[in-house]
Each structure stands twice: as structure tokens, then as C-alpha cells.
Amino acid sequence: MSWSTFVALGDSFTEGVGDVDPSTGTERGWADRVAEHLARANPGLRYANLAVRGQLLDQIVHDQLGPAVAMAPDLVSICAAGNDLLRPSSRPADLAARLDAAVAELCGTGADVLVFTGFDTRSTPVVDLVGRRLATMNEHIREIAARRGAKLVDLWTMDTLADPRARADDRLHLNAEGHRRVAVRVCEVLGVSTGEDWRDPWPPLAPTPWVRRREEDLRWVRGHLVPWVGRRLQGRSTGDGRPPKRPEPAPVR
């Protein structure tokens, strides 16, 4: 199937944080990579990415849903609520109800809609503290996809993403290889051939000495965990005041 307009909604995952394009110094990410695959079959494809890092589900719905619908896409993706789940007060059932309403609106336009579960957090102990809420939310997302007729990208079942080598230095976001594998999986769900396989096993990894692991943990705490906690305490987000990187549908280079 060929699509004419692809619009991506979401937070840092969809913006592409962790996957920096060396030619431009800007985030690339799975959505850009999917658009590139689609454009090979349809050079006239237009692509917009409204995702902004740090946004909560209600911000995504408020800031991105209306503009996306106005673009009349025939393919749209929405991945949201990950940042909400990091907050102790979050309730998966409430989040799911609000996400369901957004997915219903998108499906009501006649577009093909992609929705995503969260990926396996067990290799990131701090993030895995929300594992139970994430597992519950994933079940809700699977039900939403089935009820609304959306296309499900089940990241939790992608075992290759559980390997630490799929993560960026912050241990939260995916790196370039992680985003590449997600893009291949999305194309698989869409029935688009890429000639790649997200299931390719990682090469054997040599054991890391205990001392080196502790040094890496300390650098991560100083460089990523402490700043993240500081922003939460101050009520700030890395996306505050940040515009989407592709606010209008445009051809893919």
C-alpha cells in the first residue's frame, strides 16, 4: 500500500531523541527512518513530525492532535503516555481512556493509525520501577488497537530492544541502532519491505569488569539521573518551549 501523507505524534521517542544524524547534528529517529522507507516506494510522500520531547499525554492531545487531523494524513502514528507513567500518581486506566479517545478521533478520519506499546525496561532498573504500570498500560494499548482497528507495534515483544546496546547513554532512550530496528518493525507492520530484519541477534558481548560497570553507573548518575530528578523537582521539561522538528508535511529528502 502507498500513502501520500504520514504524520507522527508523540514525545521524545517519536521525535528521535538518542538517534543523532551525523550529517546534520539533529535527531533522526524511527519515524524519519520509516518516512525514508515509504518515500522509496512513493517519492511524493509528505511527512510531518509533531512530536516534542518530555510532553505528557494531555499535552500531545492538546498541541498535536488538532494540527495532525488538519493535515489530512492517510497514515498517522501516535505514541504517548510514557512520560506520564514515570509519575507516581499516574493511573494507567485513566491514561488509556484519554489515549483511546485520541486514537478514535484519528481512526475516524479514515487514516491508517499506528499505536505503540512501551518497550521492555528491565535493562534499565530505575525506569523499571514503573514496570507494573507499564505492563498494565501495554494491555490497555493492545485493547485500544483491537477495538479501534489501529495497527499495533508491540515494542515489548521486541527482545532485541532489551539489550543495553540498543539504548543511548541516558539508558532511557533508544540509540541509532535501536531506532533503526523499530523502523524496520513498523515497516513490517505496514507490510513494507525493507530488506532488513529487526530480529538480527546482537554479536557476543565480552564481560565488563565490575569496576568499569560501577564507573559507568556513576557517570550515568551524574550526567543523566541527577539532572532528570532536578528537572522533575522544578517542574521543568526538556521540551519546554521547543517546537516540533517537522511542523508541516514536506517531501522526504
Side-chain angles (χ1 to χ4, degrees), residues 221-236:
V221 168
R222 290 173 174 171
H224 299 286
L225 181 59
V226 171
W228 182 84
V229 171
R231 288 192 299 271
R232 291 297 175 272
L233 293 175
Q234 297 171 22
R236 296 186 295 111

Side-chain angles (χ1 to χ4, degrees), residues 171-234:
R171 303 183 181 180
L172 174 63
H173 298 97
L174 298 177
N175 58 19
E177 177 60 14
H179 278 280
R180 184 193 70 81
R181 290 176 185 256
V182 170
V184 173
R185 175 66 174 135
V186 171
C187 287
E188 181 180 84
V189 170
L190 293 174
V192 175
S193 176
T194 63
E196 305 173 48
D197 192 343
W198 59 268
R199 302 171 185 82
D200 286 339
W202 293 86
L205 187 63
T208 303
W210 183 89
V211 172
R212 183 179 172 186
R213 293 201 304 272
R214 299 293 77 78
E215 290 173 346
E216 292 173 349
D217 290 343
L218 183 58
R219 282 195 296 270
W220 173 74
V221 168
R222 290 173 174 171
H224 299 286
L225 181 59
V226 171
W228 182 84
V229 171
R231 288 192 299 271
R232 291 297 175 272
L233 293 175
Q234 297 171 22

